[in-house]
Amino acid sequence: MDTKLKSKATPLIAWALLLAFTSAAFLSGWDVVTHRAFFDTSYYFKSNAFYNQIETHWKLIKYIHLDNKNYPQLPREDKLNDDWILYLKKSYDEQKQMNMNTGSRIEAMLEKDINQYLAYKEHEYNQVKKSLDSRSGVFKYYIKDVGSGEVYTNIPNSSEQGVKLYPALYRIELPTNQLMNQALQPINRYFQQNRLTGTLFIPETVNEHSQIHSDYAYYLAIRERIIKESVLFGVSLLLTLILIAVIRKSGWALSFASSVQNGFRQVPLDARFAVLLIICLVSFSYVHPSELFRIPVDPVRVLPVVFLAVVAALLILQWQEVLLLYRNKPELKRQWQETYIFRLRQFIGGSVANRNLFVKAALIFGASILLVIFSVVGIIGLDDGAGGAIVVSALYILLYLVVILPYILTRISMLSSILAGAEAIAAGDFNQPIEPKGRGNLAALANHLNNMKAGFKSSLEQQMKSERLKSELITNVSHDLKTPLTSIINYVDLLKQENLTQDQRDNYIEVLDRKAQRLKALIDDLFEASKMASGATELTLENVNVTSLLRQTLAELSEQIEASGLRFKITVPDKKVEAVLDGKKIWRVFENLIGNALKYSTPNTRVHITLTESTDKITFSINNVSAYEIEFEASELLERFKRGDASRHTEGSGLGLAIAKSIIDLHEGELLIQIDGDYFKVIVTLSKNPAVSQR
């Protein structure tokens, strides 16, 4: 057993390792190619980050030593030659010439402004000098003016030769014709134009924080990572090739891979290619190999590898499919014929109706593309002030809104109506019309659906009428017929006994008669309910005095009411309450509802019967206290063979309420049941002049 399990697991392990090594090789190779420049140990000194640091230091040096050389020691007269002070003097001289103020006042104002400016200038110089001095530990310079021989440096007791021997992380001799970082060209050009020579360098070691040293260490760390990833790439690639060779030689195939491949074959070839292309693009945007190889290791970073392994598996499966199709030309032809491109070609070259539909769709698509183009042209025209482009764009947009857009909306509305009608037909609703609007393919389709719906409706109605009675008889009659029939059989067997007395025989015959009458009543109710359900019942409408009809029903049931022990409270109008009804059918409703109250009410309780009328309706209600706990919804009582007595010990058929509901529905009235605990209420509402036709 262990040997079999190992043999079954070996292909799965081999494929899992292949996907893992493939993903590792891809990710590491991707990161190595992306950061290949980091292999150069001097790459940091060619970067913009390094240039920004050098430029910051150079600006401080230039400000202190070249632009404002020995500024604090300059006499006041030399400081007054500043461009800004000369501008102030010129401004005040103009005011003086225009007699805008007295000469002495102008002189005082000028002196005040000069003093304020000199104070600001000296403060600025001191701040820059302080900043430059604070960087002396991390940035060194030795600059010499060739013309004057003057030296500017932050290295005490240094010489030009000594500076060159100073241990440095980075050193540059300026001016030079071979710059490692071309971004330093402006500084190199300044040295050339101002006859300066010198050395700028970064000490190899520093005793304080240095952003340059920190950045350099970070770049070296990336370089170290790239070197390790290169080794990982080589090892992963080698193992991938070895596993491919082993799998091919061993012929290991996975059963679930075949299932996946079969699933892919259900997708058209061109759609499959598009999906794989999208998946690959998502992979490139989602997977970031640099995040995967960072420390500390985060389990969440393994998710891109898993995702990439799945993508690799899909690509391998599809590559196998490509090889299969290359060798099996009939299969390639079959899959090609199922592509969307092939179907589109067939659609374009199909019938005239389809060709017209395609032409319309193409024109609408082209017009919509032009809308986008003209909108862009209009926006550009607004920015550039091109009046002609704006006018042309506005005219086309207006034409689209007036002609094309209403046409599209009309067709969408028509298609929505057709879809709603088709859904109604599928759901069995044949009464929802589909209104064809205008002419064209959609209008023709709407007419076809209407014709189909009419045929379906007629055929279904005939079939339902013939099947409904038979179906309900078979499914519902068995239980309620079984009890009286069983009793009849048992008592017939008893009558066959020879040693019976005459009293016993008479007693058995009485029971048989009662059970036979019970069976007859059940069968009568069953056929009545079936006729109602099948629509075979005819209404004989006439003007009926409902008050008299109700009193007549109560009179005929008076013996049963007296024997029940229930107290009936009757509330009916003294006058006539007339309505156009089928009197016999409504009498049956009253009989069934009052009969239900007699069978299922708690003994010695009240039964309330009320009859009221309004302008166009009459309402009959009967309330009683149920003798049985009703543990289901009130609407379920209207189902055939449903009783309030769940144990079915009573003499009811379970059809009384269903028959009453069917009769009321034929009159287009309403029968409602309300249950509040054990309190049971039935409300019947009928129109005095119903819209139903006599059948």
Side-chain angles (χ1 to χ4, degrees):
M1 180 64 73
D2 292 340
T3 304
K4 289 183 178 180
L5 290 175
K6 289 179 181 178
S7 62
K8 291 181 179 179
T10 301
L12 181 61
I13 295 173
W15 277 97
L17 290 174
L18 174 61
L19 294 177
F21 288 134
T22 302
S23 301
F26 177 79
L27 289 172
S28 56
W30 182 4
D31 202 29
V32 168
V33 171
T34 304
H35 297 91
R36 60 186 180 277
F38 284 82
F39 282 113
D40 184 1
T41 55
S42 61
Y43 177 64
Y44 169 67
F45 302 115
K46 301 175 184 178
S47 66
N48 289 331
F50 177 72
Y51 166 71
N52 292 334
Q53 292 291 329
I54 293 294
E55 185 183 33
T56 299
H57 288 86
W58 167 246
K59 286 180 178 179
L60 297 175
I61 295 170
K62 181 173 176 294
Y63 181 90
I64 295 297
H65 295 298
L66 302 173
D67 296 340
N68 297 280
K69 184 170 60 176
N70 299 322
Y71 182 80
Q73 290 77 33
L74 291 177
R76 180 181 172 86
E77 292 75 15
D78 291 344
K79 294 179 180 180
L80 295 178
N81 291 327
D82 188 278
D83 292 340
W84 175 248
I85 293 178
L86 294 176
Y87 171 77
L88 284 175
K89 288 182 177 181
K90 181 179 179 182
S91 176
Y92 280 109
D93 285 343
E94 290 176 354
Q95 294 183 31
K96 188 175 182 180
Q97 293 175 4
M98 296 174 63
N99 297 321
M100 296 178 63
N101 216 325
T102 61
S104 59
R105 184 172 178 79
I106 289 176
E107 292 295 333
M109 293 169 61
L110 175 61
E111 184 65 20
K112 181 180 179 181
D113 287 346
I114 289 174
N115 289 335
Q116 288 179 346
Y117 177 74
L118 291 176
Y120 164 77
K121 186 74 174 180
E122 188 166 353
H123 175 74
E124 182 184 54
Y125 179 87
N126 291 333
Q127 291 296 114
V128 176
K129 182 71 166 59
K130 181 179 179 181
S131 178
L132 180 62
D133 292 342
S134 67
R135 300 165 184 260
S136 60
V138 299
F139 187 84
K140 302 293 185 179
Y141 58 90
Y142 184 92
I143 302 173
K144 183 177 180 180
D145 189 327
V146 176
S148 64
E150 196 168 359
V151 174
Y152 316 110
T153 182
N154 62 350
I155 308 173
N157 304 319
S158 61
S159 64
E160 189 171 353
Q161 293 300 321
V163 169
K164 293 181 179 180
L165 299 176
Y166 203 100
L169 185 68
Y170 171 83
R171 183 192 310 274
I172 181 171
E173 305 286 342
L174 295 173
T176 180
N177 294 325
Q178 297 179 345
L179 280 175
M180 182 183 298
N181 189 338
Q182 292 301 318
L184 297 176
Q185 187 61 41
I187 300 176
N188 186 57
R189 189 178 300 111
Y190 185 90
F191 270 73
Q192 292 172 340
Q193 293 173 350
N194 292 276
R195 301 187 64 197
L196 299 175
T197 61
T199 302
L200 307 178
F201 67 93
I202 311 298
E204 187 173 335
T205 59
V206 294
N207 297 324
E208 55 190 279
H209 172 72
S210 169
Q211 187 62 45
I212 292 177
H213 287 76
S214 298
D215 291 345
Y216 180 65
Y218 172 72
Y219 273 65
L220 289 181
I222 295 178
R223 179 177 181 273
E224 184 178 356
R225 189 192 81 207
I226 297 303
I227 292 174
K228 293 178 180 178
E229 289 179 18
S230 300
V231 176
L232 176 62
F233 169 74
V235 173
S236 300
L237 183 61
L238 178 61
L239 292 174
T240 298
L241 296 175
I242 292 173
L243 281 170
I244 290 175
V246 170
I247 290 173
R248 291 187 61 183
K249 184 177 180 180
S250 303
W252 288 336
L254 300 177
S255 58
F256 72 85
S258 300
S259 301
V260 175
Q261 195 74 287
N262 291 333
F264 266 103
R265 288 174 185 148
Q266 302 303 315
V267 181
L269 195 62
D270 50 353
R272 197 186 319 165
F273 174 78
V275 169
L276 287 174
L277 180 62
I278 293 172
I279 291 175
C280 291
L281 294 176
V282 171
S283 302
F284 279 103
S285 61
Y286 171 66
V287 179
H288 300 284
S290 60
E291 293 290 332
L292 181 66
F293 296 107
R294 287 187 179 180
I295 297 177
V297 177
D298 188 346
V300 177
R301 295 178 189 161
V302 180
L303 293 178
V305 180
V306 177
F307 178 75
L308 197 62
V310 174
V311 175
L314 293 177
L315 291 176
I316 291 173
L317 289 175
Q318 293 314 299
W319 176 248
Q320 291 180 339
E321 182 71 4
V322 169
L323 295 178
L324 175 65
L325 294 177
Y326 178 75
R327 300 188 189 102
N328 190 347
K329 295 299 188 293
E331 177 64 16
L332 175 61
K333 182 178 180 181
R334 185 191 69 79
Q335 291 199 27
W336 165 249
Q337 291 175 349
E338 293 179 354
T339 60
Y340 291 115
I341 296 175
F342 183 83
R343 294 175 186 176
L344 181 61
R345 287 179 56 188
Q346 283 189 321
F347 175 75
I348 296 174
S351 64
V352 175
N354 286 340
R355 190 177 298 119
N356 291 337
L357 183 61
F358 175 77
V359 170
K360 291 177 183 178
L363 289 176
I364 292 174
F365 179 78
S368 300
I369 294 296
L370 288 177
L371 176 67
V372 176
I373 295 174
F374 276 105
S375 298
V376 173
V377 170
I379 294 172
I380 296 174
L382 287 173
D383 291 338
D384 298 341
I390 296 173
V391 171
V392 173
S393 300
L395 288 176
Y396 182 81
I397 293 173
L398 180 62
L399 177 66
Y400 188 92
L401 295 176
V402 173
V403 179
I404 306 297
L405 186 60
Y407 179 83
I408 295 174
L409 294 177
T410 301
R411 294 304 179 271
I412 292 175
S413 175
M414 185 64 190
L415 180 59
S416 176
S417 176
I418 291 174
L419 289 175
E423 290 178 0
I425 294 172
D429 180 7
F430 300 106
N431 297 318
Q432 181 174 332
I434 303 174
E435 296 293 339
K437 299 177 182 178
R439 296 179 296 175
N441 304 86
L442 292 178
L445 177 60
N447 287 323
H448 294 330
L449 285 175
N450 283 330
N451 294 335
M452 291 170 57
K453 179 179 64 175
F456 286 152
K457 183 177 181 181
S458 176
S459 175
L460 186 61
E461 286 178 350
Q462 294 298 327
Q463 184 178 359
M464 288 177 65
K465 284 182 180 180
S466 62
E467 293 292 332
R468 189 179 294 127
L469 178 58
K470 180 173 64 177
S471 174
E472 293 185 354
L473 279 172
I474 294 172
T475 56
N476 296 327
V477 75
S478 60
H479 185 279
D480 286 288
L481 293 179
K482 182 179 179 180
T483 301
L485 186 58
T486 302
S487 297
I488 292 173
I489 293 172
N490 291 336
Y491 279 97
V492 168
D493 289 338
L494 290 173
L495 285 172
K496 291 179 181 179
Q497 297 178 7
E498 297 179 355
N499 56 348
L500 293 178
T501 65
Q502 187 60 39
D503 290 340
Q504 288 177 325
R505 290 180 185 276
D506 293 341
N507 185 36
Y508 293 162
I509 292 172
E510 182 182 353
V511 173
L512 282 173
D513 180 65
R514 188 168 65 251
K515 296 300 181 181
Q517 293 299 324
R518 165 66 181 152
L519 189 59
K520 179 180 181 299
L522 282 172
I523 294 173
D524 289 342
D525 284 348
L526 181 62
F527 275 101
E528 183 70 21
S530 299
K531 287 174 63 179
M532 293 289 181
S534 64
T537 302
E538 296 182 356
L539 291 181
T540 304
L541 299 178
E542 56 186 351
N543 198 23
V544 175
N545 182 350
V546 182
T547 303
S548 176
L549 185 64
L550 177 57
R551 292 185 186 278
Q552 180 184 348
T553 306
L554 290 168
E556 293 185 10
L557 297 173
S558 59
E559 291 184 4
Q560 299 178 36
I561 293 173
E562 291 177 3
S564 67
L566 300 173
R567 296 186 297 276
F568 275 68
K569 300 295 183 181
I570 313 299
T571 304
V572 296
D574 294 332
K575 63 178 182 178
K576 289 184 178 181
V577 176
E578 294 184 341
V580 179
L581 306 168
D582 185 326
K584 292 182 179 179
K585 296 294 188 295
I586 298 301
W587 179 87
R588 182 66 183 274
V589 171
F590 291 159
E591 181 188 38
N592 285 0
L593 296 180
I594 297 171
N596 271 355
L598 291 171
K599 292 170 188 160
Y600 301 115
S601 294
T602 302
N604 301 317
T605 58
R606 292 186 180 89
V607 177
H608 295 269
I609 296 177
T610 305
L611 181 67
T612 59
E613 71 169 328
S614 60
T615 304
D616 57 348
K617 293 183 182 298
I618 59 173
T619 303
F620 168 80
S621 65
I622 180 168
N623 315 340
N624 66 288
V625 179
S626 176
Y628 303 95
E629 186 175 355
I630 302 176
E631 298 178 344
F632 41 80
E633 295 293 330
S635 59
E636 295 185 29
L637 288 170
L638 297 175
E639 297 177 4
R640 293 174 183 82
F641 299 96
K642 191 72 174 182
R643 297 188 195 170
D645 171 20
S647 63
R648 309 182 80 88
H649 290 157
T650 60
E651 293 295 322
S653 66
L655 295 170
L657 287 176
I659 293 173
K661 178 69 165 59
S662 298
I663 293 172
I664 297 303
D665 288 343
L666 287 174
H667 285 80
E668 294 190 356
E670 185 178 30
L671 187 149
L672 296 176
I673 296 176
Q674 296 177 354
I675 299 174
D676 185 3
D678 294 335
Y679 191 72
F680 185 85
K681 183 176 184 179
V682 180
I683 303 172
V684 175
T685 304
L686 291 166
S687 175
K688 289 184 177 181
N689 293 287
V692 295
S693 60
Q694 185 172 346
R695 291 185 293 178

